Amino acid sequence: MTSIAEGLFKSLPKPKYTGEEEELPQHGPRGPRIVGPGQLDDTQIVLRRTGPPPYGNRAGWRPRAPEDFGDGGAFPEILVAQYPLDMGRKGTQSKSNALAVQVDAEGKVKFDAIARRGHSDDRIVHASFKDLIPLRQRVDMGEISLDRPSEEEVETQMEKTKNALASLVSGAAAAQKPKNVKGASRADPTFVRYTPANQMGDTSRKNDRIMKIVERQQDPMEPPKFKHKKIPRGPPSPPPPIMHSPPRKLTAEDQEAWKIPPPVSNWKNPKGYTVPLDKRLAADGRGLQDVSINDKFAQFAEALFTADRHAREEVRLRAQMQQRLAEKEKAQKEDNLRALAQKAREERTGGRRDSRASRSPSRSRSRSSSAASARSRTPDDEEEGARERDRIRRERRQDAERQLRQSRMGTERRIQTMAREQNRDISEKVALGLAKPTQSSETMWDSRLFNQSSGMSTGFNEDNPYDKPLFAAQDAINSIYRPRAQADFDDEADAEGEMSKLEKSSRFEVLGKAKEGFRGAADAEERSGPVQFEKDTADPFGIDSMIADVTGSGDGGGGGAGQKRYGIQEADTENRGSKRARVAEDD
Amino acid sequence: MDVIPSTTPDEAVRRSAKRTAELFGAEYLMVTPSVANGSIGVSYRRKAEYEDVKTLPPVLAEKQAQAAAARSKRPKINPQPQGEGSGDRSGASTALVRRGGPPGAGGVAGEDKPKSLIQRPSATRQQPPDWHAPWKLMRVISGHLGWVRSLAVEPNNEWFASGAGDRTIKIWNLATGALRLTLTGHISTVRGLAVSPRHPYLFSCGEDKMVKCWDLETNKVIRHYHGHLSGVYTLALHPRLDLLVTGGRDGVARVWDMRTRSNVHVLSGHSGTVADLKCQEADPQVITGSLDSTVRLWDLAAGKSMGVLTHHKKGVRALATHPREFTFASASTGSIKQWKCPGGEFMQNFEGHNAVINTLSVNEDNVLFSGGDNGSMSFWDWKTGHRFQSFDTMAQPGSLEAEAGIMASTFDRTGLRLITGEADKTIKVWKQDDEATPETHPVTWAPTLGRQRY
């Protein structure tokens, strides 16, 4: 195509008009042609006609205006530069973004014009197929110089760049200098002499005034008045021509390679719920694999076990053997000794007790020795020995008795005796288990800590930080009645002593007729345990009825007082109850 | 057609034969006409078409010889004359087996000769590559606790700096590989380093959006260049002016005045991360490669882009400017391209490195190194694009197989050492094999005759 055009251009004569240097006459209104009378018949009518003249009448006609083309293209037979639709006309702003076809010096269409649009002329645009071919393989390439630019060139470029950047930098730096801060410097005031003009025929002389014009003080810290507005981006410059082939279509294989399976969680099922632990363990296949232990472990353990047993057996046998040997040796030695002793005795007695010497040697040595010593005693000694044995027997019996007694004793008694035996003096209270150390398990805890949730009302009181009296336990101990754990029948002496002591002491003399007992005391049967009380249902003081009165009659005159008395009354009843109990205890 | 001046027919025939030989090769139509077996045509066809099957393949020949020996014992059958050609012999296989071509001739000789009447223009004749000594590992420096992402060699060639994912910059003795200094201050991976040849400054940039200027006399940060909106991935110093150019994930390259710290230009135009950036003293003074798969050449004075190179199909991760030639190379995944500088004309492809290429370096001896994300390393001849060596780096013991990856590379000032920063947290130093000669390591190069796509 291009070659044909080239040939055509070569065959044609050089064009008379290139259109480049042509000065277009500036007409006023274009478009309608004024057709002269010669062209029209006889009428004097001036006819406006648009569009090109008919064929045959085009001599000397040049299409200039867009109307001359009549929506069509250029007229190839008219050899002037033509700009249909104003395409390609220089110096005019056309609204159309269509580009005129441009050709280069060889008449080839410059297709890269569209890529250069909006760029400067020195823009590097690679748009042709030629630019895809390596430089050395291009046909028209001559010698390629790959040298770096010369020093002069570099110098000039550096100078240019430096100047360009220096202005930018200085501008940026100047903006930051304090001298340029707004309102820091003020212009000097100017003075203006003002002479009022004659107005409305007023010709009287007027004083001319001198005015001082001062720039208004500006606040240097005042924020800027204008608001920064975002300006939408202008139309982009045309994109560069793409010089590579379009991406390959994704093959099925590639697609397969990119398929990433979704993660499967062991902990959550697809709905997001937690998988139960047992299912999870079942699913991960841990239990599916049989744990197979090698047989040789068992064999090994067996072998170890038998070896161990064997060794133990051997050791045992050896020990037995050694023991037997030792025994034998010992027996032999004993026999030897005995024989020696026998011999010595025989020598000493001189054969007096031949018959006794013929005892069996199998008796134990101690027995024989004691027998020998007993035999050698005098009758006096024998008596002494009998007494000694009696004494020992007695001691044993006493011991046994005491132990029996102790076993039958009550706890506190036993502890007492034990303490006495060990020379430790334990007070009565301790022996009774009544001595409360200050740090008992109960008082270790501040009870206020326990129901904090229920607040101040339950126990915690700011005025009285102690929730219990300090020696309450002591009082209680002192006042409490404790029966002796089942009267001590066993040690008669002790009981008798106590009884006599009681009888002697006149504890109840203060009450007068204590000896005779209280009234009605004789009627009461003998009591075997602690005093038992009956609930006093009677109302001796009429208190209950009074309460009933007060509460039942509603808020009368003394309602508040009645309620107040109620609290006291309760305390009173308690006190009385305890008093009564104490009295009863004294009984 | 030039007119042959009328001479004697002898001379004319000779000239014609010579010309034919020139055009179509020496063997064309050069048949010795054997008069014994009929016409010239038959003889020519025998020569041209059955030359390969004139003698049997050795296996068949042996078999045939055995058969012939067996047959010769029997008096009845007399052997046929051998001159008839072995193809129609009844005892042997009747299939015609082509003999292998003459060794060393390749596909050029015989009937494989191109049938086209026009020759390729001489410009396409491929230039044989220069010989380069192969490279081998010299030293492994293990001191960083993260990927070594950036390297820079000092102008005096005494030490080099490395920046890594452990947020430190370490300075190493180039000769001994000993650690000299550790600079801390970045709060994320250090992605770019540069040592100024004209100031005692070291510049560093990182994924923490910070660009720092370290004074190497006090080893302290003396300036920050604040302005990037996202991680800063690369930086370069202008060789003549006091300018610093940085580029990063916000897709712009920023030009900073070194002293005043002011942002002179914002070179915007890329639509993706600026992955690499080079600066040189002549236009285009700034070259940026971006993950939007374009390379842009920038007019530094105007702050505009001079041109866009859109030849790459994937993101351009590495650039390298040649120290002496006015050319540069750019690498994207699987392709490396070489460009001529002022206009960005495409010069050639470096073909064969099929990996994500993270880094490129060139030295003055025209050796181009490309390091891949999977640990593959390739060494190329800059002039011809021939790959003379390629191998995989080995991850240091104790690291995963996946940690073999070249993240950064640089040649030292002499070009005799290659320093690579790797994903196995080491720095490796490579050198040329001293014993290698062109004889021990010959260039294995064959010109490609096939049509090439670019």
Side-chain angles (χ1 to χ4, degrees):
Chain A
M1 167 86 192
T2 52
S3 64
I4 291 169
E6 212 175 324
L8 206 65
F9 270 97
K10 273 180 187 162
S11 65
L12 286 175
K14 269 203 174 285
K16 282 180 188 161
Y17 300 100
T18 57
E20 302 293 330
E21 69 274 2
E22 190 184 32
E23 288 293 323
L24 292 179
Q26 292 295 322
H27 294 295
R30 292 247 188 80
R33 283 179 296 115
I34 301 187
V35 183
Q39 292 169 349
L40 214 60
D41 290 317
D42 298 346
T43 54
Q44 293 296 311
I45 303 165
V46 175
L47 196 63
R48 284 170 63 107
R49 204 187 274 171
T50 57
Y55 284 116
N57 297 332
R58 288 182 183 176
W61 178 74
R62 290 179 182 179
R64 297 280 187 211
E67 289 85 356
D68 291 343
F69 297 100
D71 288 340
F75 298 94
E77 71 275 14
I78 300 172
L79 298 176
V80 293
Q82 302 172 36
Y83 301 99
L85 296 173
D86 273 344
M87 282 191 300
R89 192 195 292 278
K90 276 178 189 160
T92 55
Q93 283 288 12
S94 81
K95 290 274 183 284
S96 153
N97 58 1
L99 278 175
V101 173
Q102 294 176 21
V103 290
D104 61 359
E106 295 172 351
K108 291 176 186 162
V109 177
K110 286 203 274 188
F111 287 108
D112 61 345
I114 192 164
R116 286 188 181 279
R117 193 178 160 78
H119 289 303
S120 59
D121 286 339
D122 54 351
R123 172 84 176 186
I124 300 164
V125 174
H126 296 299
S128 65
F129 174 71
K130 199 181 69 181
D131 295 321
L132 286 170
I133 299 171
L135 206 58
R136 289 184 201 284
Q137 296 180 26
R138 292 185 198 167
V139 177
D140 53 349
M141 263 301 147
E143 198 57 36
I144 303 165
S145 164
L146 295 175
D147 293 339
R148 290 209 151 250
S150 65
E151 191 59 31
E152 297 91 62
E153 270 177 68
V154 170
E155 276 304 320
T156 53
Q157 271 195 357
M158 282 307 99
E159 199 60 35
K160 192 179 131 217
T161 313
K162 194 191 264 178
N163 291 338
L165 298 187
S167 64
L168 285 172
V169 170
S170 63
Q176 294 167 352
K177 278 188 182 145
K179 206 190 263 183
N180 286 8
V181 172
K182 183 186 63 175
S185 65
R186 291 166 69 191
D188 287 336
T190 52
F191 294 91
V192 174
R193 180 191 296 274
Y194 173 67
T195 311
N198 293 337
Q199 286 178 340
M200 312 285 286
D202 183 11
T203 54
S204 62
R205 182 185 155 73
K206 299 176 183 73
N207 295 334
D208 49 349
R209 283 163 268 181
I210 293 175
M211 288 193 287
K212 181 186 181 187
I213 299 177
V214 187
E215 224 174 70
R216 193 164 63 89
Q217 175 84 48
Q218 273 182 313
D219 182 7
M221 303 299 284
E222 193 182 23
K225 288 263 174 43
F226 69 89
K227 195 171 177 202
H228 186 74
K229 250 190 260 175
K230 257 192 179 172
I231 304 162
R233 287 176 70 166
S237 52
I242 303 298
M243 300 297 282
H244 59 74
S245 55
R248 301 266 177 278
K249 225 177 172 186
L250 204 59
T251 61
E253 198 178 322
D254 284 342
Q255 231 160 356
E256 204 56 40
W258 275 105
K259 200 169 277 175
I260 299 166
V264 178
S265 175
N266 263 341
W267 283 269
K268 296 286 179 70
N269 67 9
K271 281 184 179 169
Y273 300 124
T274 309
V275 178
L277 180 64
D278 51 340
K279 300 227 171 54
R280 197 156 76 212
L281 288 179
D284 75 349
R286 224 175 286 181
L288 297 181
Q289 297 160 348
D290 280 337
V291 182
S292 60
I293 299 169
N294 199 332
D295 269 349
K296 293 187 175 159
F297 279 110
Q299 288 171 14
F300 177 59
E302 189 84 0
L304 275 183
F305 180 69
T306 51
D308 179 59
R309 203 173 51 191
H310 194 72
R312 276 174 200 284
E313 187 76 11
E314 269 186 357
V315 166
R316 198 175 58 84
L317 281 178
R318 205 171 294 138
Q320 243 174 14
M321 192 65 75
Q322 271 175 350
Q323 198 180 353
R324 209 169 288 160
L325 278 177
E327 259 174 19
K328 204 176 273 177
E329 203 174 331
K330 208 171 167 187
Q332 203 174 0
K333 213 179 271 175
E334 244 171 43
D335 278 351
N336 207 5
L337 278 175
R338 197 174 296 133
L340 278 176
Q342 187 87 14
K343 217 159 91 182
R345 231 178 280 134
E346 278 176 1
E347 275 175 9
R348 204 164 45 176
T349 54
R352 191 186 59 174
R353 301 179 183 182
D354 299 322
S355 59
R356 284 189 189 178
S358 64
R359 279 192 181 171
S360 73
S362 64
R363 279 188 179 182
S364 75
R365 191 170 60 113
S366 62
R367 186 74 186 272
S368 62
S369 68
S370 72
S373 67
R375 249 171 263 130
S376 61
R377 275 181 196 150
T378 55
D380 225 14
D381 287 343
E382 281 179 3
E383 255 178 51
E384 183 88 7
R387 229 177 293 137
E388 183 72 12
R389 279 196 296 278
D390 275 350
R391 191 179 55 79
I392 289 167
R393 221 169 285 140
R394 205 165 48 235
E395 268 179 14
R396 286 216 182 117
R397 203 187 309 125
Q398 275 177 349
D399 266 357
E401 272 173 16
R402 195 169 62 222
Q403 274 181 0
L404 182 69
R405 217 164 40 228
Q406 274 185 357
S407 70
R408 293 174 65 187
M409 251 194 290
T411 327
E412 90 273 26
R413 195 84 194 161
R414 193 161 62 220
I415 290 169
Q416 256 176 338
T417 47
M418 275 166 62
R420 214 176 293 136
E421 277 173 2
Q422 291 176 354
N423 282 334
R424 281 184 62 195
D425 184 26
I426 300 173
S427 75
E428 199 98 341
K429 265 178 227 160
V430 174
L432 283 167
L434 291 173
K436 283 196 179 167
T438 45
Q439 279 194 337
S440 73
S441 62
E442 286 166 26
T443 50
M444 282 280 280
W445 308 103
D446 190 348
S447 63
R448 283 171 293 171
L449 294 173
F450 291 129
N451 29 1
Q452 282 179 328
S453 59
S454 38
M456 289 288 218
S457 57
T458 62
F460 185 72
N461 184 359
E462 274 193 336
D463 299 334
N464 180 17
Y466 306 106
D467 59 338
K468 275 179 197 162
L470 181 58
F471 297 109
Q474 216 79 358
D475 280 346
I477 291 162
N478 289 340
S479 59
I480 206 164
Y481 168 75
R482 275 184 168 262
R484 293 279 163 73
Q486 290 311 87
D488 318 313
F489 316 105
D490 38 345
D491 53 347
E492 296 295 323
D494 222 16
E496 277 168 12
E498 196 159 71
M499 193 59 216
S500 64
K501 204 169 70 186
L502 276 177
E503 274 168 359
K504 263 183 257 167
S505 69
S506 52
R507 272 209 299 171
F508 301 112
E509 279 307 303
V510 280
L511 294 174
K513 295 157 71 175
K515 280 228 176 94
E516 290 86 356
F518 292 102
R519 185 180 47 161
D523 310 338
E525 68 242 58
E526 185 103 30
R527 156 173 78 71
S528 66
V531 184
Q532 288 186 348
F533 298 102
E534 288 170 3
K535 189 171 185 194
D536 196 356
T537 49
D539 188 15
F541 301 110
I543 287 167
D544 284 357
S545 63
M546 189 174 74
I547 291 166
D549 271 350
V550 170
T551 53
S553 66
D555 282 338
Q563 276 192 350
K564 209 180 273 172
R565 234 182 304 150
Y566 180 68
I568 294 162
Q569 203 180 6
E570 187 114 301
D572 276 347
T573 49
E574 274 178 16
N575 284 345
R576 199 166 49 246
S578 67
K579 259 179 205 155
R580 282 173 70 88
R582 215 171 286 143
V583 168
E585 179 203 3
D586 284 347
D587 199 1
Chain B
M1 292 286 118
D2 49 348
V3 181
I4 301 166
S6 58
T7 46
T8 58
D10 243 332
E11 201 175 356
V13 164
R14 213 170 52 235
R15 188 173 290 177
S16 166
K18 196 176 164 192
R19 188 168 168 73
T20 311
E22 268 176 14
L23 271 175
F24 300 111
E27 290 174 353
Y28 191 69
L29 281 179
M30 287 295 127
V31 192
T32 47
S34 64
V35 201
N37 272 332
S39 65
I40 289 177
V42 170
S43 122
Y44 168 69
R45 284 190 67 193
R46 187 177 294 149
K47 173 101 166 71
E49 292 177 33
Y50 300 111
E51 179 74 6
D52 290 340
V53 290
K54 205 169 179 184
T55 58
L56 277 176
V59 184
L60 282 180
E62 191 181 356
K63 212 183 261 179
Q64 202 177 22
Q66 283 173 4
R71 232 178 283 130
S72 64
K73 284 171 187 169
R74 290 188 284 180
K76 274 202 275 187
I77 298 156
N78 51 344
Q80 286 181 343
Q82 293 283 326
E84 275 296 309
S86 52
D88 50 350
R89 184 167 287 273
S90 59
S93 109
T94 52
L96 288 178
V97 184
R98 266 186 65 173
R99 195 184 51 175
V108 195
E111 68 279 358
D112 286 342
K113 204 178 239 182
K115 298 287 194 292
S116 67
L117 292 177
I118 49 164
Q119 274 188 315
R120 279 161 174 265
S122 63
T124 60
R125 187 159 297 149
Q126 284 156 343
Q127 204 179 335
D130 291 340
W131 182 80
H132 297 282
W135 291 73
K136 63 178 187 183
L137 184 62
M138 179 188 138
R139 178 175 292 139
V140 180
I141 302 170
S142 168
H144 272 296
L145 302 175
W147 290 4
V148 181
R149 304 276 337 216
S150 53
L151 291 166
V153 181
E154 187 234 358
N156 294 331
N157 215 21
E158 283 176 4
W159 48 265
F160 67 94
S162 63
D166 57 0
R167 311 185 295 273
T168 59
I169 301 164
K170 285 179 190 273
I171 290 179
W172 310 87
N173 194 329
L174 184 60
T176 62
L179 179 66
R180 287 176 68 167
L181 191 64
T182 302
L183 300 172
T184 57
H186 275 285
I187 53 176
S188 191
T189 306
V190 181
R191 291 293 293 263
L193 283 174
V195 189
S196 169
R198 296 178 295 121
H199 315 89
Y201 293 159
L202 169 74
F203 294 88
S204 66
C205 64
E207 286 173 8
D208 49 1
K209 311 179 195 174
M210 286 201 281
V211 182
K212 288 172 187 272
C213 170
W214 304 79
D215 186 0
L216 291 174
E217 287 161 352
T218 58
N219 299 327
K220 287 192 171 98
V221 176
I222 53 170
R223 282 184 201 111
H224 283 272
Y225 299 92
H226 179 79
H228 268 288
L229 303 178
S230 192
V232 191
Y233 285 2
T234 174
L235 93 176
L237 297 176
H238 196 280
R240 299 284 178 103
L241 305 174
D242 285 351
L243 289 175
L244 171 71
V245 189
T246 59
R249 213 176 77 87
D250 49 0
V252 296
R254 286 173 195 266
V255 182
W256 308 88
D257 186 57
M258 209 180 266
R259 191 180 60 81
T260 63
R261 298 177 315 226
S262 62
N263 193 352
V264 183
H265 278 309
V266 179
L267 308 178
S268 59
H270 280 299
S271 59
T273 303
V274 176
D276 203 1
L277 181 155
K278 293 288 169 203
C279 225
Q280 55 188 5
E281 71 277 7
D283 270 338
Q285 294 182 47
V286 180
I287 305 168
T288 57
S290 161
L291 295 191
D292 61 5
S293 75
T294 60
V295 175
R296 274 178 191 260
L297 317 173
W298 300 89
D299 180 4
L300 187 58
K304 290 194 300 184
S305 75
M306 289 168 62
V308 188
L309 309 177
T310 53
H311 296 236
H312 282 291
K313 294 180 81 168
K314 292 188 176 162
V316 180
R317 291 190 173 216
L319 294 172
T321 49
H322 195 275
R324 281 185 288 109
E325 277 181 10
F326 204 36
T327 51
F328 70 97
S330 62
S332 72
T333 301
S335 79
I336 306 171
K337 288 174 191 287
Q338 188 187 355
W339 313 88
K340 185 173 171 320
C341 232
E345 291 93 356
F346 173 62
M347 283 191 70
Q348 64 179 349
N349 276 318
F350 295 87
E351 279 165 9
H353 196 169
N354 281 322
V356 178
I357 296 167
N358 274 333
T359 176
L360 285 181
S361 328
V362 207
N363 69 2
E364 295 206 354
D365 305 331
N366 291 327
V367 174
L368 171 72
F369 165 75
S370 63
D373 205 37
N374 57 357
S376 55
M377 304 168 70
S378 294
F379 293 87
W380 314 80
D381 180 35
W382 180 264
K383 290 279 187 199
T384 57
H386 170 242
R387 176 159 74 167
F388 65 89
Q389 195 183 7
S390 77
F391 55 92
D392 282 359
T393 183
M394 44 283 205
Q396 69 165 336
S399 51
L400 304 177
E401 188 191 356
E403 283 178 327
I406 315 285
M407 291 293 161
S409 72
T410 179
F411 282 101
D412 76 338
R413 296 285 160 180
T414 60
L416 298 175
R417 295 283 180 277
L418 172 71
I419 308 166
T420 56
E422 313 211 355
D424 62 350
K425 304 168 188 172
T426 61
I427 302 163
K428 294 192 175 125
V429 184
W430 310 79
K431 68 170 182 182
Q432 280 176 319
D433 197 352
D434 291 331
E435 284 100 47
T437 56
E439 285 73 40
T440 58
H441 294 84
V443 176
T444 53
W445 174 76
T448 49
L449 292 171
R451 204 187 159 87
Q452 291 186 335
R453 277 193 303 211
Y454 302 105

